[in-house]
Amino acid sequence: MSDVVSALDMLDLAIGRAEGINADADIKVAAKVAATVRERRGFLGETLVVALAGGTGSGKSSLLNAIAGRRVAETGVLRPTTERALAWVPDDPEPGLVALLDLLEIDARFEQPVLPKLAIIDLPDHDSIVLQHQQIVERMLPHVDAVIWVFDPQKYRDPLIHEQYISQLLEYQEQFVFVLNQIDLLGKHDLSELRADLTKSLMEDGIASPRVFDLAAAPPGAKPLNIEPFRAFLRDTLGAKSVAAGKMLGDIRRAGKQLRHAAGVDRGAGVGFEDRWPSVRASVVQAMTDGLGFDDAVCRVGDFVTALSVGTGGEFGSKLRDAFSYPTIEEEMRAAISESGLRPTAPPDRSRVGALLHTFWFGDEGGDNAEAVPAFARQLENRFGQGLFELLWTRSELAATLTQVEIEARLAESR
Ligand SMILES: Nc1nc2c(ncn2[C@@H]2O[C@H](COP(=O)(O)OP(=O)(O)OP(=O)(O)O)[C@@H](O)[C@H]2O)c(=O)[nH]1
Ligand SMILES: [Mg+2]
């Protein structure tokens, strides 16, 4: 299954392969898109990943169970109840989400068929293992979409949570949501007072406008209270998330398209090189042995390079042209002749100067070419065929990778 993460990985690969083929300026534009998407806070995929954090016994696991509508996490009066982080994830998780849980070393994963785009991470209590908890929270923050800080009426002013966590992590405040749980224990008057007090303490921590939900995740012998508005909030956030993911995929696709177009690889990777080159090579050998002459042989290679560069087009076409310019072809052709010991047959209608030049370059005509012809063909293969093939191969690789960017992005969009 594809997601923004896999489309982005593919774009990164394509950017690497575009080096030497695309112009630096175009590569920079695509790299900027990739970096912007990657730098974005929160999980890149379409799944909304939220983490539950907060004081021990505040009701984090109970809140997860209330959202899930069933018992997922262990809850209880004995502390700590949750000893290691667990994740409640869709039963068909995006590859990026699996990679994220691996990165965070969260092994306990409960697959759920209920909400295909929601993942909730339940963190262990922090009192007994403060350091570990803090590390997990800090490591997790850049990668999750939201953190739900759960408070209970007794310990909502817990200095540890306010001073060591919330006020230290203000740069992530956009991702924070606050829940005052266990409101079944409060009278109406107490509730509004306590809610105002919690909001005030969060503002003192530095949260500009705290979003506070009050609810009861597990009132004894009764159904959860106010859980529906919280679920609605998650649904809305999920909607916003899918819009954001759609935009990211659009950006990735456009970046890939722009590289494809500029490199000239949107016309298909194949230009029939392997089918066409053997006959060009044979015609060059023929030109040199049938008296058509050196210039004709050079032209045959030159024409082929032109045809390839027109076929590929874009920056790659110019690159091909530059790598096999006419002077280069002439030089390589001369070297091929001299290395192979070929004695070219002179053109029949030579001028005197032409004849002298021919003798100067290639010696007396009429030599035995029986061994030299295959050696010459090999030289042509090494000096032209191989280099052209290698260049076209890098182009095919780039084309294949950019096609994969498009495929991954389209698949992710249709999820
Ligand atoms: N009265 C009342 N009790 C609740 C509510 N929510 C949770 N509890 C109780 O509070 C206790 C702690 O709940 P948990 O969900 O285990 O709390 P936790 O935050 O996951 O605790 P740790 O995993 O130890 O960090 C349990 O006994 C729950 O039954 C609520 O809304 N009202
Ligand atoms: Mg728990």
Side-chain angles (χ1 to χ4, degrees):
M1 273 291 177
S2 295
D3 58 16
V4 179
V5 182
S6 33
L8 185 59
D9 285 347
M10 207 44 80
L11 179 62
D12 278 341
L13 186 63
I15 288 168
R17 291 192 163 153
E19 251 161 62
I21 294 183
N22 279 96
D24 286 350
D26 289 336
I27 295 178
K28 262 195 193 143
V29 172
K32 178 110 203 301
V33 170
T36 311
V37 173
R38 226 177 255 294
E39 273 162 22
R40 188 189 161 277
R41 285 260 167 80
F43 175 64
L44 284 178
E46 274 197 86
T47 305
L48 183 72
V49 183
V50 298
L52 293 160
T56 180
S58 55
K60 300 179 292 292
S61 301
S62 301
L63 181 56
L64 167 56
N65 293 343
I67 296 165
R70 56 186 278 259
R71 197 175 173 80
V72 180
E74 230 13 78
T75 59
V77 273
L78 289 176
R79 305 267 74 83
T81 306
T82 309
E83 285 180 358
R84 57 194 186 124
L86 69 86
W88 184 72
V89 297
D91 59 4
D92 176 20
E94 295 177 67
L97 177 59
V98 175
L100 172 63
L101 296 177
D102 289 348
L103 176 83
L104 299 174
E105 294 169 38
I106 300 176
D107 303 323
R109 301 172 196 181
F110 295 84
E111 297 199 341
Q112 50 96 2
V114 194
L115 295 160
K117 297 265 167 77
L118 181 65
I120 301 179
I121 298 171
D122 182 14
L123 291 178
D125 118 277
H126 67 80
D127 291 358
S128 52
I129 38 170
V130 177
L131 192 65
Q132 195 191 336
H133 186 89
Q134 203 166 340
Q135 281 170 348
I136 295 174
V137 172
E138 281 175 26
R139 203 151 47 118
M140 215 176 49
L141 274 169
H143 307 288
V144 301
D145 295 304
V147 177
I148 302 167
W149 295 94
V150 184
F151 296 94
D152 63 66
Q154 284 82 42
K155 289 185 280 155
Y156 70 93
R157 272 208 174 256
D158 181 354
L160 185 78
I161 300 256
H162 290 279
E163 285 159 26
Q164 285 201 17
Y165 288 94
I166 296 172
S167 52
Q168 302 292 323
L169 301 167
L170 289 176
E171 56 175 312
Y172 295 98
Q173 60 174 294
E174 292 294 310
Q175 286 162 253
F176 291 172
V177 183
F178 305 93
V179 163
L180 175 60
N181 187 32
Q182 307 189 10
I183 60 165
D184 56 305
L185 301 176
L186 299 168
K188 217 171 184 177
H189 176 71
D190 288 346
L191 170 60
S192 62
E193 221 168 70
L194 210 140
R195 196 193 141 102
D197 199 31
L198 171 60
T199 308
K200 187 168 155 251
S201 67
L202 290 169
M203 290 173 88
E204 282 165 8
D205 291 341
I207 304 288
S209 45
R211 280 174 293 181
V212 180
F213 289 84
D214 46 70
L215 52 84
K223 282 194 173 161
L225 283 175
N226 284 1
I227 204 75
E228 211 26 67
F230 192 65
R231 278 218 193 97
F233 158 76
L234 287 177
R235 268 198 303 274
D236 291 350
T237 317
L238 198 54
K241 169 94 206 237
S242 107
V243 171
K247 187 186 170 298
M248 285 189 276
L249 286 169
D251 290 348
I252 293 171
R253 279 181 66 182
R254 265 189 299 282
K257 201 169 170 187
Q258 174 257 337
L259 282 183
R260 277 207 318 273
H261 186 70
V265 295
D266 50 359
R267 305 180 191 198
V271 280
F273 171 78
E274 277 142 309
D275 295 334
R276 293 155 74 189
W277 165 243
S279 64
V280 174
R281 190 183 51 210
S283 78
V284 173
V285 174
Q286 200 184 9
M288 294 304 287
T289 51
D290 277 7
L292 287 171
F294 180 78
D295 291 348
D296 193 273
V298 168
C299 275
R300 282 171 196 233
V301 177
D303 287 351
F304 183 52
V305 171
T306 304
L308 290 176
S309 77
V310 169
T312 57
E315 279 148 10
F316 183 83
S318 325
K319 192 181 160 67
L320 201 64
R321 191 65 280 173
D322 291 348
F324 290 90
S325 64
Y326 268 89
T328 308
I329 298 173
E330 276 178 16
E331 198 179 308
E332 292 290 325
M333 190 68 81
R334 269 191 198 109
I337 293 166
S338 92
E339 289 281 311
S340 62
L342 187 83
R343 328 270 330 251
T345 309
D349 55 347
R350 283 171 302 161
S351 64
R352 200 175 130 65
V353 176
L356 280 173
L357 272 177
H358 185 86
T359 313
F360 175 78
W361 283 115
F362 308 118
D364 288 333
E365 53 202 81
D368 178 10
N369 274 329
E371 275 180 30
V373 164
F376 179 59
R378 271 196 304 280
Q379 286 287 328
L380 293 178
E381 190 56 46
N382 294 342
R383 289 174 189 277
F384 301 112
Q386 215 158 299
L388 285 168
F389 176 78
E390 275 163 19
L391 268 178
L392 288 161
W393 184 255
T394 60
R395 174 181 180 269
S396 299
E397 271 184 334
L398 176 64
T401 313
L402 287 168
T403 305
Q404 202 59 30
V405 172
E406 179 73 15
I407 291 172
E408 295 282 353
R410 274 178 193 240
L411 282 175
E413 276 172 352
S414 63
R415 264 172 75 96

